Amino acid sequence: MNKTYQKKHELWLSITFASFAISNEEIKSRLYDFSQIAFRHMKWLGSDILASGDDYNYDRDMKLKKSSSVFEIIDALVEEISAIQEYYPKTILGERIKTDDAYLLEYLQEIRSVVLNDQVVTAFNMKRKWLNKELEQEQIDALTLFLFEESYKEYELILIYAYMQARTENALQFNVFQDLIDESHFHLKSFGNMMAKLGILTLPRMLHEMTYIVKDLEQFVIDGIAEEEAAKEMCRELSERIKDAELSKFFDFINYQESYHIELMKKLLS
């Protein structure tokens, strides 16, 4: 079951980052919906593992293939989804996951059947150019650094909060963790899509177990609030440095969201 969990974790990332890499808005949206289903599979598998008296971790053994076309991405997903089927448990949950995967495979084949869908993928070309706008190199460098750091932070927070949520029986904690997970999903999606537009899409680094095995909730929350404050400052600085009204408004928007995350985390201290 631990291997099953790892494979599902990897598949969640593969589908998520495929949605970031592909520019076709309809395909991007549908794949992201499927990635959220895969994340729920992770949650349910984790609950079953804990209920059996076992445990799981966030180890992974994968690399993000730098595909140059939509069909390359689709073919890699089909191969990965097909290979994971043997790992699923022969349970009601296992059958649910298999039928979800079967429907996803049908959708991928549907994409593959339309030749015009095979568009060029520029998410990995490293050009670091923001759409059709001429940002100064200093601004591009600041944006690049921010996206690398913050995409990892959001990935990290999703997994940490999910790990803690699975182990609490406190309703307040459970609900706060869910809100923070949902918010971090949105931020990871936003930053991942921006990385793809810049041509710098890459996986966040793997978490060490000392990151997500939290033994002191109060200290974790205090440290987390400080981290959110630092993220707010980065957003503020980036908003000021980038001379683009649309981007500046976006980072102000993220800054305000981080403010509310701090208020959510303070609830955990009570």
Side-chain angles (χ1 to χ4, degrees):
M1 285 295 286
N2 290 332
K3 192 66 174 178
T4 303
Y5 189 89
Q6 178 182 328
K7 292 291 184 183
K8 192 82 241 187
H9 177 192
E10 293 171 351
L11 181 57
W12 165 59
L13 284 173
S14 294
I15 302 170
T16 300
F17 278 75
S19 80
F20 299 159
I22 293 173
S23 58
N24 180 297
E25 289 297 334
E26 181 179 353
I27 297 174
K28 175 189 289 291
S29 178
R30 289 289 303 278
L31 286 180
Y32 189 75
D33 287 345
F34 280 114
S35 78
Q36 292 297 285
I37 293 173
F39 188 78
R40 288 199 291 278
H41 292 170
M42 284 175 62
K43 179 179 180 180
W44 297 335
L45 286 167
S47 294
D48 277 10
I49 290 170
L50 293 177
S52 71
D54 205 348
D55 206 347
Y56 59 88
N57 57 49
Y58 289 134
D59 291 353
R60 63 179 210 234
D61 182 22
M62 66 178 295
K63 293 182 179 180
L64 188 63
K65 183 180 178 182
K66 297 184 178 181
S67 303
S68 58
S69 74
V70 171
F71 281 5
E72 281 186 36
I73 292 175
I74 298 304
D75 290 345
L77 282 179
V78 168
E79 183 177 350
E80 187 174 355
I81 295 164
S82 300
I84 199 177
Q85 299 305 305
E86 64 180 275
Y87 290 93
Y88 293 141
K90 294 179 172 57
T91 61
I92 294 174
L93 173 58
E95 288 303 311
R96 159 64 196 264
I97 295 175
K98 284 183 178 180
T99 56
D100 285 350
D101 280 4
Y103 185 64
L104 172 53
L105 284 171
E106 288 180 4
Y107 176 64
L108 295 176
Q109 295 300 341
E110 180 184 322
I111 296 172
R112 199 69 169 74
S113 68
V114 179
V115 176
L116 292 177
N117 284 334
D118 195 21
Q119 299 172 359
V120 173
V121 169
T122 61
F124 310 103
N125 65 16
M126 299 297 291
K127 287 189 175 180
R128 294 209 302 150
K129 180 176 173 58
W130 183 251
L131 304 178
N132 60 347
K133 299 181 181 181
E134 295 297 330
L135 296 183
E136 294 179 3
Q137 191 59 49
E138 180 185 354
Q139 296 172 35
I140 289 290
D141 290 343
L143 179 58
T144 299
L145 179 61
F146 175 87
L147 292 174
F148 275 119
E149 291 187 355
E150 291 302 297
S151 62
Y152 170 74
K153 189 199 84 169
E154 300 301 343
Y155 168 68
E156 175 189 59
L157 291 178
I158 289 168
L159 296 187
I160 293 173
Y161 292 137
Y163 195 88
M164 296 169 70
Q165 185 188 52
R167 289 159 176 77
T168 185
E169 295 181 356
N170 180 295
L172 173 64
Q173 290 181 3
F174 187 94
N175 289 331
V176 170
F177 290 145
Q178 187 61 57
D179 286 338
L180 291 168
I181 290 167
D182 292 342
E183 293 281 281
S184 288
H185 273 300
F186 172 73
H187 287 189
L188 178 61
K189 177 184 178 183
S190 299
F191 300 150
N193 283 323
M194 293 177 75
M195 293 176 82
K197 289 176 182 177
L198 280 172
I200 58 170
L201 186 62
T202 188
L203 283 176
R205 63 188 181 273
M206 189 171 74
L207 272 64
H208 189 280
E209 66 175 15
M210 295 304 292
T211 306
Y212 55 85
I213 298 178
V214 176
K215 296 181 179 179
D216 185 339
L217 177 60
E218 182 176 358
Q219 188 59 50
F220 168 79
V221 173
I222 291 171
D223 293 342
I225 290 173
E227 188 175 8
E228 294 288 358
E229 292 283 6
K232 278 173 53 61
E233 182 62 19
M234 285 186 68
C235 283
R236 187 191 63 77
E237 290 179 359
L238 200 56
S239 178
E240 290 180 353
R241 292 174 68 178
I242 293 182
K243 308 306 178 184
D244 179 84
E246 185 178 355
L247 281 173
S248 292
K249 288 177 183 177
F250 171 75
F251 288 113
D252 287 340
F253 162 68
I254 294 296
N255 188 4
Y256 297 141
Q257 292 197 336
E258 300 286 9
S259 295
Y260 191 65
H261 295 173
I262 291 171
E263 295 307 311
L264 286 172
M265 296 178 76
K266 285 179 179 177
K267 292 182 179 181
L268 297 174
L269 292 176
S270 64

